[in-house]
Amino acid sequence: AQSVSQHNHHVILSEAASLELGCNYSYGGTVNLFWYVQYPGQHLQLLLKYFSGDPLVKGIKGFEAEFIKSKFSFNLRKPSVQWSDTAEYFCALRMDSSYKLIFGSGTRLLVRP
Amino acid sequence: NAGVTQTPKFQVLKTGQSMTLQCAQDMNHNSMYWYRQDPGMGLRLIYYSASEGTTDKGEVPNGYNVSRLNKREFSLRLESAAPSQTSVYFCASSEAPAYGYTFGSGTRLTVV
């Protein structure tokens, strides 16, 4: 079955450290890929999305992600994290023309001041 | 601009009770979705409605029913609640799936 894997379940960083969260998917067709963020007690918000074209996607709050088709990956990066980035991050996959998004299990990020 | 509105925000049910979770969006989106979020499992799709008048099962539909009342509203019903349905439920809508979803603020449901 098609799936989305986020191998890092918990990540702890100090402020100003660089961040990379992994996301791998298993599907050989056309994909759209998304990163969502969920701050404590809040709903999911879209950080960025890959639709087509440039594989390097820039989102809100200084986040970016790179789509590497050969590696079936869409890793999320930020050069310097802040305490306010403490949240849970979800990668999501849309396959071909499906209406559905498939979500990974999430990565909890804790940024220490 | 309210976006996606879910009611109630919190609910406690006894096993066997029924209830309906309400969801409404004011963005004129065609597609609407119900997900449940459980620790360590991400979000799992319960049901979705690609357009007004259509509904389809998702990954975990057992124990739930849905109604797409009109373009704005998409409700989720638990006919006989079970402790395994304790979860946080999110409604979402989309203008087009390739653009991603807009989520509501969630309903935290506890079944005792």
Side-chain angles (χ1 to χ4, degrees):
Chain A
Q2 293 80 17
S3 68
V4 178
S5 298
Q6 294 181 245
H7 301 294
N8 305 105
H9 297 295
H10 292 90
V11 174
I12 301 174
L13 294 173
S14 298
E15 275 194 317
S18 64
L19 170 71
E20 182 162 3
L21 301 182
C23 173
N24 289 91
Y25 64 93
S26 58
Y27 184 68
T30 301
V31 297
N32 299 142
L33 291 155
F34 306 84
W35 276 99
Y36 282 85
V37 60
Q38 186 178 31
Y39 298 105
Q42 297 190 24
H43 62 283
L44 279 79
Q45 302 171 44
L46 183 65
L47 268 180
L48 49 79
K49 61 180 180 284
Y50 171 77
F51 182 68
S52 65
D54 189 345
L56 185 60
V57 180
K58 294 192 183 299
I60 61 172
K61 305 188 180 186
F63 287 91
E64 65 178 31
E66 185 174 13
F67 171 53
I68 304 179
K69 189 174 182 179
S70 60
K71 295 185 177 180
F72 298 90
S73 71
F74 190 56
N75 292 355
L76 181 70
R77 301 194 292 246
K78 187 172 185 180
S80 176
V81 294
Q82 301 172 320
W83 175 79
S84 57
D85 292 324
T86 293
E88 190 161 16
Y89 293 81
F90 293 92
C91 182
L93 162 73
R94 173 180 178 251
M95 300 175 295
D96 292 321
S97 58
S98 172
Y99 282 92
K100 300 178 284 187
L101 296 190
I102 299 172
F103 285 83
S105 57
T107 298
R108 286 186 183 272
L109 171 66
L110 173 63
V111 179
R112 291 186 168 151
Chain B
N1 190 353
V4 179
T5 303
Q6 291 183 238
T7 55
K9 294 191 183 303
F10 301 94
Q11 184 71 48
V12 179
L13 289 179
K14 294 182 179 178
T15 298
Q17 287 186 317
S18 62
M19 79 161 295
T20 300
L21 280 63
Q22 306 287 352
C23 176
Q25 53 92 7
D26 62 0
M27 296 171 287
N28 201 35
H29 286 174
N30 288 315
S31 306
M32 297 186 74
Y33 307 82
W34 277 105
Y35 282 84
R36 60 178 288 174
Q37 182 181 28
D38 301 291
M41 303 187 74
L43 282 82
R44 292 181 292 168
L45 182 63
I46 306 172
Y47 271 94
Y48 69 102
S49 171
S51 60
E52 186 179 357
T54 68
T55 60
D56 286 284
K57 295 179 180 179
E59 183 183 359
V60 288
N62 291 344
Y64 305 95
N65 284 300
V66 290
S67 296
R68 184 74 183 267
L69 304 170
N70 47 56
K71 191 171 185 179
R72 290 187 64 248
E73 299 173 287
F74 188 41
S75 62
L76 178 71
R77 182 161 178 84
L78 287 71
E79 290 291 351
S80 179
S84 60
Q85 294 178 305
T86 293
S87 187
V88 180
Y89 291 85
F90 286 100
C91 178
S93 70
S94 177
E95 177 183 359
Y99 301 160
Y101 298 169
T102 300
F103 282 87
S105 57
T107 296
R108 186 172 293 275
L109 175 66
T110 302
V111 183
V112 298

